[in-house]
Amino acid sequence: MKIGIFFFDLFIFMQNFFFVQPEVSKDFVNCKHCFFQDTPPYLNGLTEQNSVQICQRHRLLNRYFFAINYNSVHRIPYYSAYLIDSFDKGGKRDSFWYLEPQLAGTDPSFHPHIVKDNNQQIYKDSQALNEDYRASGYDRGHLNPSFYHNETKQARQVTNSLTNVAPQVRDFNKGIWNKLEISLYNAMNDSCNFAGAKRYFITGAVPSSGTTISNGRVNVPDYFWTAMCCDSSGANEPSKKMMGWSAAFIGGNIDNSSIYVYTIEDFLNFLAKLLFSSHPKLFADYYIGETKIRNCLFNQTQASTMVNGIIRDNDRFENKSLFN
Ligand SMILES: *[C@@H]1O[C@H](CO)[C@@H](O)[C@H](O)[C@H]1NC(C)=O
Ligand SMILES: *[C@@H]1O[C@H](CO)[C@@H](O)[C@H](O)[C@H]1NC(C)=O
Ligand SMILES: *[C@@H]1O[C@H](CO)[C@@H](O)[C@H](O)[C@H]1NC(C)=O
Ligand SMILES: *[C@@H]1O[C@H](CO)[C@@H](O)[C@H](O)[C@H]1NC(C)=O
Ligand SMILES: *[C@@H]1O[C@H](CO)[C@@H](O)[C@H](O)[C@H]1NC(C)=O
C-alpha cells in the first residue's frame, strides 16, 4: 500500500515537476499584458518594500498567465493581477501546491517543483510553504481564483502557487469571499463577454500589523480586496466601445464578514489611508481623443447598473464604506 502511494506521488511529482514555471521579472516586463493598458498599479509606500515581481508561466504552453507582486518578508502577495480569458465551463481544480525556487535566489534556471519535494527547506526563507498552513487553522486563500480559469488545466495549475495565496479565515474564504468571486464572474459574463472585451482583475491582501501563523513566518492579512475592470476599448463593434466599467470590493478576514463595495475612485481614497500611500492608482488613464477615461470607468451608467446588481446578490454586500 505504502509503496503504491509512493509511486503514485512520484508519478504526480514527475508529471508536475517541469510544468509550472514562474519567473521573477523586474517590473513585470514579461507579463505587462496582465494589466490594463499594460500598466501595473502604482501603490507607492507599499509595494516597493520587499517586493518581488513574478510572472506566472506554464512551461507546457510557454505563455504568461498572470502576475504576482509578492512580499518576501510577510510571505504573502501584495496582489495578483489576472484576466478572465474565457467563460468556458468544466475542469477540475489542481490538487497540488507549487513553490517558486527563483525567489530563493537559487539558480534561476532551476525548475520549480511541487511542495512535496524534500528540498523545500531551501526555499523556506523567501516564501511560505505548505507546512506553514497545515496546522494553522487558516485556509490557503487564493487571490487569483482557480475556478476563473476553467479553460485549461494549465491555467488552473498556475493559480496553485503558494505565492498566490494568503491565510484566509475559512468562513470568509468559503463564504462571502467565494460568493463575491462568483458574483463578479457572473457580472463579467453578463456585461463584458463581447468580442474584443478584456476583463482585468487585481486582487490584494492587506497585511495585519502582527497576526501571523507558523511562529511569525506568514502574515495573516486584515483584509482582502479586489478591483475589476471591464475594458471595452478594443471592442470589435463600435457601439460597444463605451460599455466598459469598473468597481472595487473589500472585506475583513473574519467570520461573518461583509463585503464593502466602492467605485475605484472612492476605493483609491480609502486605500491611500489604509496603506499610507499617496495618489495610488490601480488602472491607468486611457484617452479616447481628448476624452480621458479614469479608473477604467468607460460608462458610468453601466457601472451603476452592474454594481447595483452585484449589491443585490447578497445581504452582506454593503453599499457603504468600511469605516462608516
Ligand atoms: C455566461 O452567460 C451565458 C448567457 O447568459 C450563459 O448561457 C452561460 O451559462 C454563462 N456562463 C457561465 C460560465 O456562467
Ligand atoms: C468550473 O469547473 C468546475 C468543475 O467542473 C465547476 O464546479 C465550476 O462550477 C466551473 N466554474 C465555472 C465558473 O464555470
Ligand atoms: C457568525 O454567525 C453565526 C450564525 O449567525 C453565529 O452563530 C456566530 O456566532 C457568528 N460568529 C461571529 C464571530 O460573529
Ligand atoms: C452606457 O451604458 C448604457 C447601458 O448601461 C448604454 O445604454 C449606453 O449606450 C452606454 N453609453 C455609451 C456611450 O455607449
Ligand atoms: C447604493 O448607493 C447608491 C448611492 O447612495 C444608490 O444610488 C444605489 O441605489 C444603492 N444601491 C443599492 C443596490 O442599494
Side-chain angles (χ1 to χ4, degrees):
M1 189 61 192
K2 274 242 161 74
I3 302 273
I5 289 171
F6 173 76
F7 278 112
F8 177 72
D9 282 353
L10 189 68
F11 170 72
I12 298 289
F13 173 77
M14 298 300 281
Q15 232 191 7
N16 288 291
F17 189 87
F18 299 103
F19 289 176
V20 178
Q21 193 183 46
E23 182 174 292
V24 173
S25 168
K26 184 92 186 105
D27 301 325
F28 301 109
V29 283
N30 289 322
C31 53
K32 287 223 185 313
H33 72 278
C34 297
F35 303 98
F36 177 63
Q37 297 299 307
D38 293 342
T39 309
Y42 178 67
L43 297 168
N44 59 322
L46 177 77
T47 51
E48 64 263 25
Q49 295 160 26
N50 312 308
S51 147
V52 192
Q53 294 102 55
I54 301 166
C55 291
Q56 281 291 346
R57 184 157 72 136
H58 199 288
R59 214 176 145 84
L60 269 191
L61 300 184
N62 193 19
R63 146 175 183 213
Y64 294 98
F65 284 91
F66 75 107
I68 300 172
N69 197 329
Y70 192 67
N71 182 328
S72 54
V73 168
H74 286 318
R75 300 190 181 92
I76 55 172
Y78 282 119
Y79 61 78
S80 291
Y82 52 97
L83 289 95
I84 293 178
D85 283 329
S86 89
F87 295 94
D88 294 346
K89 287 210 187 209
K92 277 199 313 222
R93 189 171 137 178
D94 190 73
S95 47
F96 293 90
W97 294 95
Y98 301 91
L99 290 175
E100 319 238 355
Q102 292 173 81
L103 293 187
T106 52
D107 177 359
S109 67
F110 193 81
H111 296 299
H113 50 240
I114 56 171
V115 198
K116 284 186 168 177
D117 181 62
N118 295 330
N119 291 331
Q120 56 175 291
Q121 297 309 320
I122 301 171
Y123 312 118
K124 205 177 169 142
D125 276 349
S126 57
Q127 60 200 283
L129 307 174
N130 229 3
E131 67 185 28
D132 290 320
Y133 283 85
R134 203 163 283 139
S136 72
Y138 286 89
D139 279 4
R140 286 159 294 205
H142 285 82
L143 272 67
N144 178 3
S146 181
F147 82 91
Y148 275 27
H149 307 285
N150 269 353
E151 65 275 13
T152 60
K153 179 179 180 205
Q154 291 80 17
R156 289 187 298 278
Q157 252 175 356
V158 292
T159 65
N160 273 7
S161 167
L162 283 161
T163 51
N164 179 43
V165 304
Q168 207 170 28
V169 168
R170 178 148 306 167
D171 172 79
F172 182 59
N173 181 29
K174 303 269 192 295
I176 200 74
W177 188 253
N178 179 245
K179 298 215 163 64
L180 177 68
E181 288 172 337
I182 293 169
S183 283
L184 299 187
Y185 184 94
N186 290 337
M188 283 299 207
N189 184 27
D190 289 347
S191 71
C192 204
N193 194 2
F194 48 87
K198 285 189 174 164
R199 301 160 286 259
Y200 295 95
F201 288 83
I202 305 169
T203 299
V206 179
S208 61
S209 60
T211 313
T212 58
I213 58 171
S214 199
N215 292 322
R217 278 182 40 80
V218 181
N219 190 281
V220 176
D222 279 338
Y223 305 100
F224 284 76
W225 56 269
T226 198
M228 47 145 295
C229 157
C230 169
D231 173 12
S232 54
S233 64
N236 294 12
E237 260 180 65
S239 68
K240 301 263 190 205
K241 281 201 189 296
M242 292 298 284
M243 288 304 283
W245 60 283
S246 60
F249 309 83
I250 187 166
N253 190 18
I254 50 174
D255 282 336
N256 299 347
S257 187
S258 291
I259 297 289
Y260 299 85
V261 183
Y262 293 81
T263 62
I264 301 289
E265 189 184 8
D266 287 345
F267 184 65
L268 288 173
N269 290 330
F270 170 80
L271 210 57
K273 284 182 213 142
L274 195 67
L275 305 176
F276 307 105
S277 167
S278 54
H279 313 294
K281 215 155 174 64
L282 290 170
F283 301 117
D285 293 339
Y286 173 70
Y287 288 87
I288 304 175
E290 304 279 277
T291 312
K292 187 183 198 173
I293 309 288
R294 289 188 176 86
N295 303 314
C296 184
L297 193 55
F298 287 81
N299 186 325
Q300 178 66 63
T301 312
Q302 180 72 346
S304 304
T305 307
M306 295 312 299
V307 167
N308 284 329
I310 291 166
I311 290 168
R312 281 186 220 103
D313 280 349
N314 196 288
D315 286 349
R316 284 195 276 133
F317 293 166
E318 307 268 2
N319 194 14
K320 62 177 192 215
S321 178
L322 179 54
F323 292 131
N324 285 345

